[in-house]
Amino acid sequence: MGAFKVTRVQTSPIDGQKPGTSGLRKKVKVFVQPHYLQNFVQSTFNALGADKMKGATLVVSGDGRYYSKDAIQIILKMAAANGVRRIWVGQNGLLSTPAVSAVIRERVGADGSKANGAFILTASHNPGGPNEDFGIKYNMENGGPAPEGITDKIYSNTTTIKEYLIAEGLPDVDISKIGLSNFTGPDGQFDVDVFDSASDYVKLMKSIFDFQTIKKLLSSPKFTFCYDALHGVAGAYAKRIFVEELGAKESSLLNCVPKEDFGGGHPDPNLTYAKELVARMGLSKSDNNADPPEFGAAADGDADRNMVLGKRLSYFDFRFFVTPSDSVAIIAANAVQAIPYFSGGLKGVARSMPTSAALDVVAKHLNLKFFEVPTGWKFFGNLMDADMCSVCGEESFGTGSDHIREKDGIWAVLAWLAIIAHKNKDNLGGDKLVTVEDIVRQHWSTYGRHYYTRYDYENVDAGGAKELMAYLVKLQSNLTEVNNIIKGIQSDVSNVVNADEFEYKDPVDGSISKHQGIRYLFEDGSRLVFRLSGTGSEGATIRLYIEQYEKDPSKIGRDSQEALAPLVEVALKLSKMQEYTGRSAPTVIT
């Protein structure tokens, strides 16, 4: 048992440490500056309060990106100095963001301890490496992200900090080996418990889904499967769940070895960045795979996001990329029948404001409580803690439920497999399985189709982005002028009947969130939404969301980009996108 003492290190505030919707994200070169990480961590301890940190149990892990191992050792030493009793670390510092939430909520230590919170080291779907992104966020004892009241305190503390505490004489802990390390300091014993990254999460998934039913599906010779972890932390779970528990072939896993730089790729599960999966699924124009799998899925760096794909039936058919907005609606529509966890019914459903209204239609049809919230999983967490929401999702490839307080990419894939298995429970020996395509088309036939696309303009000049948003707000004051402009662009596009900046009053705590996105709402149910994203590490990212609802069964099978082309033209010209950003095309289209 090693001994340490507490040292107070003098420091001063560093600009730019305001957490966004998902914590603090910056380039690695920013985080490695002297005192940068330490200032933020101490500001977090101070925001939480010494009374809550003394004797606490915290989780410290993340997606394994570059600088994580160094950051973990720094946080361990600072936690010890701030009176924390024990730290739980996933082996090799790896825990997916949903697994961290599960560990906080479910894990009980050998001594009966429960976690009080967690530092999660991730920049989610952003690239990793020495010249790329790093991030840190704090999750609370409910397993969800820190609320604005805490993140505001953290930021305020970063602007006034004068010193941080660190344990002098505490050696680096070997986080590659499972086991317990014991130390002593001024406040008594301090333990670091390195544990298996997957066990708690796998146990939770097995309590939610009928693994035997899914295993029967995966063992059918008619059903083929492919999962791409994009070299993110999902790889630490994929083999255990899909191969060892569910019997999938190991060859069905792509890029499932976690790497600090995500193999040089961009760990964002969309049609632009998941190139290998897209090619294997036969969705790539440059790689026409003659026999693609029936089902494909991908995860982002920290495994909280997901992408679902079905087999493409013809060379030009891109339809069975399942949009995240459709995905959450389809899961909600089938959850009670297909997922044992929900057999007693859904408490309610929720989506983020930019997400399409596909879930709204399901909620109305099934007479479910429905909530539209700002972007940020913490808003869903409030509803879940109040037993008001069971299933929720956002258009940025995030889907989840009240089993934890984060979005959960592997959960979403298992939900889809459970639905496919349920639809085929009496059909596994038949000539043809019910496919992803069949399920999506059946859903559209029942509820209508929400044509939907998102244009991302990444790392644009922050000044130009703010000017564009200010222009759009000003334009909202005169809808007659707006409609005149629109008719001059596309005469057959419906009129705008309402336009606003989205504002949300939380039904649980009464808090109000303003300036959550600029909306133009059309008479026929179409929408244009403009939003500045808080998930980038530099510059600004403008996200443009375009949606059109179609109830006519004869019109639900069109190519999405073709159906939306008139609205896209209206959006780009109405906003003067090229004029304000200097961009003639978006960085990513999803």
Side-chain angles (χ1 to χ4, degrees), residues 170-439:
L170 185 70
D172 283 357
V173 175
D174 185 355
I175 61 174
S176 68
K177 295 178 181 176
I178 291 174
L180 187 66
S181 301
N182 311 112
F183 308 94
T184 56
D187 291 309
Q189 189 168 330
F190 173 71
D191 297 337
V192 178
D193 182 2
V194 180
F195 65 101
D196 179 73
S197 300
S199 295
D200 297 287
Y201 182 79
V202 173
K203 181 181 177 182
L204 179 60
M205 291 302 103
K206 292 178 76 172
S207 75
I208 294 170
F209 299 99
D210 182 345
F211 269 39
Q212 287 306 309
T213 300
I214 298 174
K215 189 171 185 177
K216 287 178 184 176
L217 173 72
L218 290 180
S219 66
S220 168
K222 295 185 180 67
F223 187 82
T224 43
F225 166 82
C226 183
Y227 184 79
D228 190 347
L230 294 175
H231 287 303
V233 73
Y237 304 86
K239 183 178 179 181
R240 184 84 67 89
I241 292 174
F242 298 120
V243 177
E244 295 177 14
E245 293 285 348
L246 295 174
K249 295 177 181 177
E250 196 158 353
S251 60
S252 64
L253 303 184
L254 279 175
N255 303 314
C256 281
V257 176
K259 295 185 177 181
E260 289 188 332
D261 66 347
F262 306 109
H266 191 145
D268 194 352
N270 59 44
L271 295 175
T272 300
Y273 295 126
K275 295 182 178 69
E276 264 189 84
L277 176 65
V278 167
R280 186 178 286 199
M281 292 300 297
L283 283 163
S284 170
K285 289 183 178 179
S286 61
D287 189 344
N288 190 17
N289 187 350
D291 189 24
E294 289 289 336
F295 180 87
D300 69 335
D302 66 331
D304 64 349
R305 299 181 187 219
N306 73 95
M307 177 173 68
V308 171
L309 301 170
K311 180 187 284 188
R312 185 189 69 171
L313 298 184
S314 68
Y315 186 75
F316 295 103
D317 190 351
F318 288 81
R319 284 193 292 272
F320 296 103
F321 155 61
V322 183
T323 71
S325 297
D326 277 346
S327 182
V328 67
I330 291 167
I331 290 172
N334 291 278
V336 173
Q337 293 77 28
I339 302 171
Y341 180 83
F342 299 117
S343 60
L346 301 181
K347 300 164 189 171
V349 295
R351 65 166 172 84
S352 65
M353 182 275 286
T355 304
S356 93
L359 185 62
D360 313 35
V361 180
V362 171
K364 185 175 181 180
H365 191 87
L366 300 180
N367 196 28
L368 296 171
K369 290 180 184 176
F370 167 77
F371 302 92
E372 181 182 32
V373 306
T375 297
W377 211 258
K378 57 195 170 189
F379 297 104
F380 295 130
N382 259 13
L383 297 171
M384 291 173 181
D385 285 344
D387 287 329
M388 298 166 73
C389 176
S390 296
V391 172
C392 56
E394 56 188 20
E395 50 68 38
S396 54
F397 297 87
T399 323
S401 89
D402 59 354
H403 66 291
I404 56 170
R405 296 297 181 266
E406 290 279 4
K407 48 184 173 275
D408 190 343
I410 291 177
W411 173 91
V413 173
L414 289 170
W416 265 94
L417 291 173
I419 291 167
I420 297 169
H422 173 72
K423 298 285 187 182
N424 287 285
K425 65 180 184 294
D426 301 318
N427 189 44
L428 290 178
D431 294 334
K432 181 181 181 296
L433 295 181
V434 177
T435 65
V436 171
E437 174 194 0
D438 296 330
I439 292 167

Side-chain angles (χ1 to χ4, degrees), residues 461-474:
D461 176 72
K466 288 177 181 176
E467 287 178 12
L468 181 147
M469 299 298 278
Y471 167 72
L472 286 169
V473 170
K474 183 180 179 182

Side-chain angles (χ1 to χ4, degrees), residues 50-225:
D51 58 326
K52 287 195 174 181
M53 290 299 98
K54 297 291 183 186
T57 298
L58 298 181
V59 184
V60 180
S61 289
D63 61 17
R65 67 180 54 238
Y66 184 86
Y67 189 56
S68 292
K69 291 177 180 176
D70 292 336
I72 287 170
Q73 300 297 340
I74 291 169
I75 296 170
L76 295 185
K77 292 176 174 63
M78 293 186 67
N82 279 275
V84 171
R85 172 64 179 82
R86 64 185 65 77
I87 296 287
W88 293 346
V89 182
Q91 188 176 16
N92 295 311
L94 296 176
L95 279 176
S96 71
T97 294
V100 171
S101 187
V103 164
I104 294 172
R105 295 172 65 83
E106 304 289 336
R107 188 171 194 260
V108 179
D111 57 359
S113 55
K114 291 273 292 177
N116 302 96
F119 284 99
I120 306 180
L121 307 178
T122 178
S124 190
H125 54 292
N126 293 1
N131 299 310
E132 297 296 349
D133 296 351
F134 186 75
I136 180 171
K137 71 172 186 171
Y138 189 82
N139 276 32
M140 306 296 284
E141 60 192 349
N142 73 340
E148 287 183 7
I150 296 294
T151 56
D152 287 346
K153 280 185 184 177
I154 294 171
Y155 174 60
S156 178
N157 290 344
T158 68
T159 66
T160 59
I161 190 169
K162 295 180 180 178
E163 66 177 16
Y164 59 83
L165 309 184
I166 198 155
E168 187 178 326
L170 185 70
D172 283 357
V173 175
D174 185 355
I175 61 174
S176 68
K177 295 178 181 176
I178 291 174
L180 187 66
S181 301
N182 311 112
F183 308 94
T184 56
D187 291 309
Q189 189 168 330
F190 173 71
D191 297 337
V192 178
D193 182 2
V194 180
F195 65 101
D196 179 73
S197 300
S199 295
D200 297 287
Y201 182 79
V202 173
K203 181 181 177 182
L204 179 60
M205 291 302 103
K206 292 178 76 172
S207 75
I208 294 170
F209 299 99
D210 182 345
F211 269 39
Q212 287 306 309
T213 300
I214 298 174
K215 189 171 185 177
K216 287 178 184 176
L217 173 72
L218 290 180
S219 66
S220 168
K222 295 185 180 67
F223 187 82
T224 43
F225 166 82

Side-chain angles (χ1 to χ4, degrees), residues 473-485 499 520:
V473 170
K474 183 180 179 182
L475 202 58
Q476 290 182 338
S477 63
N478 189 340
L479 292 188
T480 301
E481 181 184 348
V482 168
N483 285 317
N484 286 337
I485 294 171
Y520 286 83

